[in-house]
Amino acid sequence: MNSFPEERMLSAGRPKCKTNRWGYPVYTNSDECISHIDAYFQQVLCYGAESRIVLKAGEADGDCVLANTLIAFFFFASKQSQHASFHLHAAKQKLGLATVYENMVFRAVSSLVTGQEQQTTLDLHSQLLKDFPKDLASLKRAQVLCFYMGRPDISLQLVEQVLPENQDEGYIYGMLSFPLLELGRMRDAELAARKSLTIKSDDPWSQHALCHVFQHECHFNEAAHFMETCADSWNACCSFMYTHNWWHLALCYLEGHAHLSKVLDIYDSHIWALLQRKDADYSQVYLNALGLLLNIHVRGNYAIIHDRIRDLVDRLMDQ
């Protein structure tokens, strides 16, 4: 029997209690809403390009607190503050009809979207994960916050906190590997990344972590070969993960003294070309484009990239 009290608290006018991907209770009358929420969670974990799927959850049930909360975060991350505020308000209006889990997700996301102190936001996520440790999407949000705060130690604590409840979840080991990298624990980071890839071979975050290990050890040819074998799995990734993993491969070529044409082909075909994709996040494309051009430039190859730098500057000045 489900131990969550919400399933025993149904009353007139209250939506039905369903369970999401993590097995946690959500009030909604719409199976489609839950399905789209779960699809969104998958996009978060795999750094997918289809995170907009969460908007369909709101279309299926505009009163669902979890749906509106996640939509608010989606718009916040997309720098669309008005839309984020609208959906956060919509969620707040229905908190009385929400489960404990939904309320805790709302509080954590609301703290982030409304710009509260970072430590407050982190504390709310930590408490959420103590009570609902299988919610890896919330863990991912917390780890990103830790990254911007420069606190890999807390990021590691959070993932270790929930690890016992997620032993069979491949993505958790990639999430474990990255803070280990940041803390300089390269052997442990490698073991975690490899364990993740034995469970989920196409996890781009774990591929990224293992590439970091190879690069740290100056095994650039091994890193390049590994990333080449992974590249086909990046096509469904969001702008950040797609361009960044290609950036890593290009850097492996540079450090491994491959012909510069291989590096420039990555820039042209897999970084700059992403601007043609309708769902491209231009800022992520520009960051990885600039990072690669700078790496080429400091190696004394300015002339061959002059036109590319000019095109990039024109875009940056315009936007």
Side-chain angles (χ1 to χ4, degrees), residues 64-94:
C64 177
V65 169
L66 184 60
N68 276 305
T69 300
L70 297 176
I71 291 170
F73 179 73
F74 168 81
F75 281 124
F76 168 75
S78 304
K79 300 178 179 62
Q80 299 182 59
S81 58
Q82 286 188 331
H83 290 307
S85 296
F86 174 84
H87 285 280
L88 202 63
H89 178 73
K92 187 176 182 179
Q93 294 297 105
K94 298 292 183 178

Side-chain angles (χ1 to χ4, degrees), residues 24 37 41 53 139 146 158 193 204 278 282 310:
Y24 297 140
I37 286 173
F41 287 150
I53 191 70
L139 174 61
C146 287
L158 289 173
K278 290 182 179 180
Y282 290 174
R310 183 192 60 202

Side-chain angles (χ1 to χ4, degrees), residues 59-237:
E59 293 171 5
D61 185 352
D63 291 332
C64 177
V65 169
L66 184 60
N68 276 305
T69 300
L70 297 176
I71 291 170
F73 179 73
F74 168 81
F75 281 124
F76 168 75
S78 304
K79 300 178 179 62
Q80 299 182 59
S81 58
Q82 286 188 331
H83 290 307
S85 296
F86 174 84
H87 285 280
L88 202 63
H89 178 73
K92 187 176 182 179
Q93 294 297 105
K94 298 292 183 178
L95 283 178
L97 298 177
T99 65
V100 174
Y101 166 69
E102 289 178 281
N103 269 274
M104 293 190 73
V105 174
F106 172 82
R107 291 180 62 205
V109 170
S110 178
S111 178
L112 187 60
V113 172
T114 59
Q116 295 183 32
E117 290 290 331
Q118 289 180 325
Q119 188 59 53
T120 298
T121 302
L122 197 54
D123 290 343
L124 288 168
H125 277 82
S126 179
Q127 186 58 55
L128 166 62
L129 291 167
K130 285 179 182 177
D131 293 347
F132 301 98
K134 289 183 176 293
D135 185 349
L136 297 188
S138 290
L139 174 61
K140 177 61 72 175
R141 277 196 314 274
Q143 285 197 304
V144 171
L145 179 59
C146 287
F147 177 79
Y148 286 117
M149 293 174 67
R151 295 301 306 267
D153 54 328
I154 298 178
S155 182
L156 180 60
Q157 289 171 13
L158 289 173
V159 71
E160 288 179 334
Q161 170 184 311
V162 305
L163 185 57
E165 299 292 332
N166 295 280
Q167 295 283 345
D168 299 325
E169 175 60 75
Y171 292 111
I172 191 71
Y173 298 102
M175 299 165 84
L176 172 63
S177 181
F178 192 73
L180 289 169
L181 283 171
E182 293 182 289
L183 292 167
R185 294 170 55 181
M186 292 297 166
R187 178 56 179 163
D188 291 336
E190 179 181 358
L191 290 173
R194 288 189 182 279
K195 183 166 186 175
S196 175
L197 294 171
T198 62
I199 301 173
K200 191 70 177 172
S201 62
D202 60 351
D203 175 19
W205 192 240
S206 297
Q207 295 166 354
H208 164 260
L210 188 55
C211 183
H212 264 285
V213 173
F214 288 145
Q215 289 178 300
H216 176 80
E217 296 173 344
C218 298
H219 296 164
F220 301 115
N221 291 332
E222 185 177 0
H225 176 71
F226 168 69
M227 294 298 268
E228 286 169 349
T229 66
C230 298
D232 285 346
S233 67
W234 304 336
N235 291 330
C237 288

